[in-house]
């Protein structure tokens, strides 16, 4: 931290000022002049929270993607399809049993098994041929997309959130003052907050698993030097299967989450795949903290974009990506 | 270390070494094909000319530009169709279309060169962005750039006319010939397809092309030998963008319209499918792949329904076919054919152990 301060004093200042301005924007009651320029505060706060919660969803998808990429150099372009299938299966389970938590767990397991099958039956046989693996994932995603269209049609499905997660909740953020001086607080859907909390918990658990357990140590070693790890006698194949299962399972898991606060429909696979691509490019490929930061940046950019510059909302995310590529091609949080 | 050398391309790595000079070296099948293509309009219908062969040659050119980058440069770029679409859009914007409010209605000999130049600049910048990262990252970055362009054209109404795009973008009348007519348009496509094919063959054997193949096989060694690897790669993007841009102009004239869907994520990936199915090792591969794709695309629905299956499952057929090719024949249909040939030759010969192809 102090090293960063010393090396990038100008950047530190910019970040500090941005932080102060941001905090003021969040907590202060906006004067009428400001509201006249950039609109109501409620709009701003909603965009902020929507952006962060969307970032939470993106993190859930992108963390599996980036982990698989980091360890196996496999750009799994079927990741979006796994998300889509997770969503559809989750919808089915919630429809049949009515239990959302059960759906989360079962979908994670089913899609993880699917990931194991992919790794054992296909990717294992073309190890080291990154391009061929990537092409295979493209083929799989084309096939899966059409099968999904066949099985579930073109309708959109929304997974019903459990009762204890529905309804709005009041947050201690003042959006405006009533004429009698009484503050109006922001109300926000409970389900989105729960999903954000879920993403944070998953992120922390992943960090702990990667940094504090033996398996995590092996995975980190594999990311750094796969050949050397296998030379020390570790059964790398087993770790590959584990990581692929986890990454795929996370995609399915995120499918249930995404199906709850957005919806599941054809085309969603490509949207999510592109979002994960941009997130890991911005954050740094193979880095879990990078995926977290990238996810929040992209989520915020999308939501603020759609509120303040609606015409070019999606383009904004790509502009961010191009900027990162031009200035820091390895991503924000990655060394060389 | 092995990790550096293991940067893979699709086997086998093509190396173009024979000098390009003697016409006699050209395979007799190529002469037959040339004669067939030249005299095709004598007996083929207009539909076959523009919708099958014209379209296949245009898609083949776009896939050829990808083949050049991937086969000789080791860079799998998904941005090639986007470059083509960029050229197509520029023709519609600077030239004539039914959207009077935007189209500038300049003469074709102004609009087309400007369109090609802009598309080449776009392609080169995309290339410059993606060559800063290594190998497999390219596919992710170019896919992201391609979808960025798609969403931009979808949402921008002042320049790109949003969702509806431009229609009635017609080929011009030059030298008294209406190039919209099937037969002139067929020859136009044939000319440019052949020209870009020969250009790729020529460039691949030039010092530049050989150096590019060197950077593909071992970038670090080439750097040590004093070659500027980044510059070679960006130049390769510029050359490939030129081919894609010419194809884009033809594409907009063939389709008579252009809209964001022309270069959506699906079609962008289809170009990769075409190049890989045809065979990414040789310049003829993309054209073979494009022809297969166009035939499938045009007739698969009828065939599927004829077999009592649902015609809508066309995309499944394409995906499965692609998967089979990638899994079992990484060098595409061409590789399949050459292995088949080897096997037949070997089984005919009486050498002991000749069957091991």
């Amino acid at each position: 931290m102090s090293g960063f301060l010393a090396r990038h004093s100008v950047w530190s200042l910019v970040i500090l000022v941005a932080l102060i301005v941001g905090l003021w924007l969040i907590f202060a009651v906006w004067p009428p002049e400001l509201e006249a320029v950039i609109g109501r505060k409620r709009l701003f706060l909603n965009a902020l929270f929507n952006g962060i919660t969307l970032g939470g969803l993106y993190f859930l998808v992108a963390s599996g993607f980036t982990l698989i990429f980091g360890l196996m150099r496999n750009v799994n372009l079927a990741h979006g399809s796994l998300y889509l299938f997770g969503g559809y299966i989750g919808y089915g389970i919630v429809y049949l049993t009515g239990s959302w938590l059960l759906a989360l767990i079962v979908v994670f397991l089913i899609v993880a098994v699917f990931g194991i099958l992919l790794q054992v039956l296909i990717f294992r046989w073309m190890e080291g041929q990154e391009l061929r693996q990537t092409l295979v994932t493209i083929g799989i995603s084309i096939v899966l997309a059409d099968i999904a269209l066949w099985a579930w049609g073109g309708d959109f499905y929304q997974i019903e959130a459990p009762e204890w997660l529905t309804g709005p909740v009041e947050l201690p953020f003042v959006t405006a003052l009533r004429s009698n001086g009484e503050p109006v607080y922001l109300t926000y859907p409970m389900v989105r907050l729960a999903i954000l909390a879920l993403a944070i918990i998953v992120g922390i658990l992943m960090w702990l698993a990667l940094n504090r357990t033996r398996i995590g140590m092996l995975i980190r070693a594999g990311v750094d030097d796969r050949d050397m790890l296998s030379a020390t006698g570790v059964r790398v194949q087993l770790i590959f299967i584990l990581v692929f299962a986890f990454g795929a399972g996370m995609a399915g898991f995120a499918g249930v989450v995404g199906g709850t606060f957005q919806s599941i429909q054809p085309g969603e696979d490509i949207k999510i795949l592109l979002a994960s691509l941009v997130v890991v490019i911005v954050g740094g490929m193979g880095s879990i903290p990078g995926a977290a930061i990238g996810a929040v940046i992209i989520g915020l950019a999308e939501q603020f974009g759609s509120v303040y510059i609606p015409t070019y909302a999606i383009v904004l995310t790509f502009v961010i990506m191009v900027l990162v590529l031009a200035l820091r091609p390895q991503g924000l949080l990655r060394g060389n | 270390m092995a990790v550096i050398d293991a940067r893979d391309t699709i086997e086998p790595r093509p190396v173009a070494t024979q000098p390009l000079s003697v016409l006699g070296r050209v395979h007799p099948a190529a002469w037959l094909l040339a004669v067939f293509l030249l005299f095709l309009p004598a007996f083929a219908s207009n539909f076959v000319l523009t919708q099958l062969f014209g379209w296949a040659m245009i898609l083949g050119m776009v896939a050829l530009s990808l083949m050049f980058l991937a086969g000789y440069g080791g860079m799998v770029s998904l941005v090639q169709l986007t470059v083509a679409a960029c050229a197509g859009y520029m023709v519609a914007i600077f030239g004539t279309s039914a959207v009077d409010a935007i189209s500038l209605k300049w003469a074709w000999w102004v609009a087309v060169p400007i369109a090609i130049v802009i598309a080449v600049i776009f392609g080169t910048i995309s290339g410059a962005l993606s060559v800063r990262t290594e190998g497999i990252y390219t596919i992710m970055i170019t896919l992201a750039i391609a979808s960025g362009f798609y969403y931009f054209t979808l949402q921008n109404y002042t320049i790109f006319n949003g969702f509806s795009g431009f229609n009635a973008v017609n080929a011009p009348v030059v030298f008294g010939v209406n190039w919209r007519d099937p037969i002139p348009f067929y020859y136009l496509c044939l000319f440019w397809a052949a020209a870009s094919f020969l250009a790729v063959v020529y460039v691949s054997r030039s010092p530049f092309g050989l150096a590019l193949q060197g950077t593909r096989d071992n970038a670090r060694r080439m750097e040590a030998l004093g070659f500027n690897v980044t510059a070679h790669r960006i130049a390769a993007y510029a050359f490939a963008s030129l081919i894609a841009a010419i194809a884009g102009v033809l594409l907009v004239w063939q389709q008579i319209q252009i809209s964001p869907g022309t270069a959506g994520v699906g079609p962008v990936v289809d170009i990769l499918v075409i190049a890989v199915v045809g065979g990414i090792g040789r310049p003829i591969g993309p054209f073979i792949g494009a022809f297969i794709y166009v035939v499938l695309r045009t007739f698969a629905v009828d065939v599927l329904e004829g077999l009592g299956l649902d015609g809508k499952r066309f995309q499944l057929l394409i995906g499965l076919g692609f998967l089979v090719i990638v899994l079992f024949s990484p060098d595409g249909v061409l590789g399949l054919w050459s292995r088949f040939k080897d096997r037949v030759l070997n089984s005919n010969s009486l050498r002991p152990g000749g069957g091991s192809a």
Side-chain angles (χ1 to χ4, degrees), chain A residues 44 50 85 180 232:
Chain A
F44 171 82
N50 285 346
F85 266 80
N180 58 5
T232 58

PDB file of all heavy atoms in Angstrom, chain A residues 44 50 85 180 232:
ATOM      1  N   PHE A  44     -29.345   8.352  -8.895  1.00  0.00           N
ATOM      2  CA  PHE A  44     -27.908   8.102  -8.747  1.00  0.00           C
ATOM      3  C   PHE A  44     -27.680   6.905  -7.829  1.00  0.00           C
ATOM      4  O   PHE A  44     -26.927   5.976  -8.164  1.00  0.00           O
ATOM      5  CB  PHE A  44     -27.250   9.364  -8.190  1.00  0.00           C
ATOM      6  CG  PHE A  44     -25.811   9.166  -7.786  1.00  0.00           C
ATOM      7  CD1 PHE A  44     -24.792   9.221  -8.729  1.00  0.00           C
ATOM      8  CD2 PHE A  44     -25.490   8.949  -6.457  1.00  0.00           C
ATOM      9  CE1 PHE A  44     -23.482   9.038  -8.354  1.00  0.00           C
ATOM     10  CE2 PHE A  44     -24.169   8.768  -6.075  1.00  0.00           C
ATOM     11  CZ  PHE A  44     -23.165   8.814  -7.018  1.00  0.00           C
ATOM     12  N   ASN A  50     -27.547  -0.780  -8.255  1.00  0.00           N
ATOM     13  CA  ASN A  50     -27.747  -1.732  -9.347  1.00  0.00           C
ATOM     14  C   ASN A  50     -26.411  -2.144  -9.938  1.00  0.00           C
ATOM     15  O   ASN A  50     -26.192  -3.311 -10.244  1.00  0.00           O
ATOM     16  CB  ASN A  50     -28.611  -1.116 -10.445  1.00  0.00           C
ATOM     17  CG  ASN A  50     -30.068  -1.049 -10.045  1.00  0.00           C
ATOM     18  OD1 ASN A  50     -30.461  -1.686  -9.063  1.00  0.00           O
ATOM     19  ND2 ASN A  50     -30.843  -0.282 -10.775  1.00  0.00           N
ATOM     20  N   PHE A  85     -27.711 -22.914 -19.005  1.00  0.00           N
ATOM     21  CA  PHE A  85     -28.268 -24.193 -18.577  1.00  0.00           C
ATOM     22  C   PHE A  85     -28.536 -24.186 -17.079  1.00  0.00           C
ATOM     23  O   PHE A  85     -29.557 -24.706 -16.632  1.00  0.00           O
ATOM     24  CB  PHE A  85     -27.338 -25.343 -18.963  1.00  0.00           C
ATOM     25  CG  PHE A  85     -27.713 -25.933 -20.271  1.00  0.00           C
ATOM     26  CD1 PHE A  85     -27.331 -25.308 -21.441  1.00  0.00           C
ATOM     27  CD2 PHE A  85     -28.482 -27.063 -20.343  1.00  0.00           C
ATOM     28  CE1 PHE A  85     -27.704 -25.811 -22.664  1.00  0.00           C
ATOM     29  CE2 PHE A  85     -28.863 -27.578 -21.566  1.00  0.00           C
ATOM     30  CZ  PHE A  85     -28.478 -26.961 -22.732  1.00  0.00           C
ATOM     31  N   ASN A 180     -41.103  19.183   4.989  1.00  0.00           N
ATOM     32  CA  ASN A 180     -41.036  19.466   6.426  1.00  0.00           C
ATOM     33  C   ASN A 180     -39.678  19.086   7.024  1.00  0.00           C
ATOM     34  O   ASN A 180     -39.518  19.041   8.237  1.00  0.00           O
ATOM     35  CB  ASN A 180     -42.171  18.743   7.165  1.00  0.00           C
ATOM     36  CG  ASN A 180     -42.098  17.231   6.939  1.00  0.00           C
ATOM     37  OD1 ASN A 180     -41.157  16.760   6.312  1.00  0.00           O
ATOM     38  ND2 ASN A 180     -43.081  16.525   7.439  1.00  0.00           N
ATOM     39  N   THR A 232       6.762 -32.105  -9.605  1.00  0.00           N
ATOM     40  CA  THR A 232       6.981 -32.383  -8.191  1.00  0.00           C
ATOM     41  C   THR A 232       6.109 -33.533  -7.701  1.00  0.00           C
ATOM     42  O   THR A 232       6.096 -33.833  -6.512  1.00  0.00           O
ATOM     43  CB  THR A 232       6.669 -31.150  -7.321  1.00  0.00           C
ATOM     44  OG1 THR A 232       5.319 -30.773  -7.573  1.00  0.00           O
ATOM     45  CG2 THR A 232       7.576 -30.000  -7.611  1.00  0.00           C
TER      46      THR A 232
END
